[in-house]
């Protein structure tokens, strides 16, 4: 996806009048010392805007497997079961045995609702994904003048994170105004 199609707010928004940062190097000899404020970023407690904080969740995790590979099918099903055992607080969807929505291969989906869940699950799935590819994408509120399909397309492309091999998605579904398309987001 062409990132130049989108606009971006300045990362310094809200910090325009912040105290200048020190140039002092930390004890490791490589990193910079930062001014301690005594408080953590609010991003530790809640997802930053425009990430959704409703029943949809802030992030979708799609774990892909080749349905024609018995080895991947077995591994994916075992991983799905393990996630259900170890992370019962997460929303874990159906184990799809065929492509659905924009996803070109079989997959299953997990939703994350808090930064703590993201911080625990993403390192875990990075280690346990094995031979499978994983798409991590945000669920954001549409920006002014943007419809929900445009927001979903951006979430699945320029804002997406891939673990393993990147798999091309069927983005044509985000270009259609049809509402009768199969959905697994």
């Amino acid at each position: 996806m062409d990132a130049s199609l989108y606009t971006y707010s300045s990362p310094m928004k809200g910090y325009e009048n912040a105290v200048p940062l020190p140039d002092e190097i930390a004890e490791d000899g490589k990193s910079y010392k930062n001014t301690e404020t005594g408080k953590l970023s609010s991003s530790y407690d809640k997802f930053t805007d425009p990430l959704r904080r409703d029943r949809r969740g802030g992030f979708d995790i799609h774990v892909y497997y080749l349905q024609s590979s018995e080895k991947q099918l077995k591994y994916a099903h075992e991983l799905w079961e393990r996630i259900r055992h170890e992370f019962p607080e997460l929303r874990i969807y159906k184990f799809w045995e065929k492509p659905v929505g924009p996803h070109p291969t079989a997959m299953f989906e997990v939703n994350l609702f808090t930064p703590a869940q993201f911080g625990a699950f993403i390192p875990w799935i990075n280690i346990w994904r094995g031979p499978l590819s994983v798409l991590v994408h945000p669920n954001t509120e549409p920006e002014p003048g943007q419809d929900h399909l445009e927001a979903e397309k951006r979430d699945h492309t320029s804002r997406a994170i891939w673990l393993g091999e990147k798999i091309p998605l069927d983005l044509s579904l985000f270009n259609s105004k049809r509402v009768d398309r199969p959905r697994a987001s």
Side-chain angles (χ1 to χ4, degrees), residues 72-158:
Q72 283 198 16
L73 171 64
K74 181 180 186 311
Y75 191 89
H77 199 272
E78 289 175 356
L79 182 62
W80 179 77
E81 285 187 30
R82 169 75 184 268
I83 292 167
R84 292 184 65 205
H85 283 294
E86 190 158 343
F87 296 95
E89 70 282 2
L90 302 180
R91 184 184 299 146
I92 300 131
Y93 287 90
K94 176 180 176 172
F95 190 85
W96 292 94
E97 295 186 3
K98 63 180 183 175
V100 61
H103 311 288
T105 66
M107 61 92 193
F108 65 89
E109 177 182 349
V110 178
N111 293 152
L112 304 177
F113 297 90
T114 68
Q117 290 174 347
F118 187 95
F121 189 73
I122 296 304
W124 186 92
I125 195 71
N126 189 47
I127 297 301
W128 282 102
R129 69 176 180 79
L132 310 178
S133 290
V134 177
L135 166 62
V136 178
H137 74 78
N139 294 314
T140 60
E141 295 290 346
E143 296 176 6
Q146 184 184 50
D147 71 26
H148 77 280
L149 288 176
E150 292 170 315
E152 283 196 44
K153 185 175 186 177
R154 185 176 187 181
D155 290 347
H156 283 76
T157 56
S158 69

Side-chain angles (χ1 to χ4, degrees), residues 8-127:
Y8 303 89
S9 297
S10 170
M12 288 299 294
K13 184 177 179 180
Y15 287 84
E16 296 89 345
N17 299 315
V19 175
L21 294 168
D23 289 330
E24 187 179 352
I25 301 295
E27 293 75 31
D28 66 8
K30 299 177 186 177
S31 64
Y32 286 90
K33 285 190 176 183
N34 294 316
T35 306
E36 292 291 329
T37 63
K39 65 177 186 168
L40 293 175
S41 167
S42 63
S43 294
Y44 284 99
D45 298 319
K46 65 177 184 153
F47 285 133
T48 189
D49 289 334
L51 290 169
R52 295 177 67 144
R53 295 186 287 273
D54 59 10
R55 62 178 291 287
R56 172 114 188 248
F59 283 87
D60 289 352
I61 314 305
H62 299 277
V63 180
Y64 297 100
Y65 68 95
L66 296 174
Q67 62 270 22
S68 60
S69 167
E70 285 185 38
K71 202 173 188 179
Q72 283 198 16
L73 171 64
K74 181 180 186 311
Y75 191 89
H77 199 272
E78 289 175 356
L79 182 62
W80 179 77
E81 285 187 30
R82 169 75 184 268
I83 292 167
R84 292 184 65 205
H85 283 294
E86 190 158 343
F87 296 95
E89 70 282 2
L90 302 180
R91 184 184 299 146
I92 300 131
Y93 287 90
K94 176 180 176 172
F95 190 85
W96 292 94
E97 295 186 3
K98 63 180 183 175
V100 61
H103 311 288
T105 66
M107 61 92 193
F108 65 89
E109 177 182 349
V110 178
N111 293 152
L112 304 177
F113 297 90
T114 68
Q117 290 174 347
F118 187 95
F121 189 73
I122 296 304
W124 186 92
I125 195 71
N126 189 47
I127 297 301

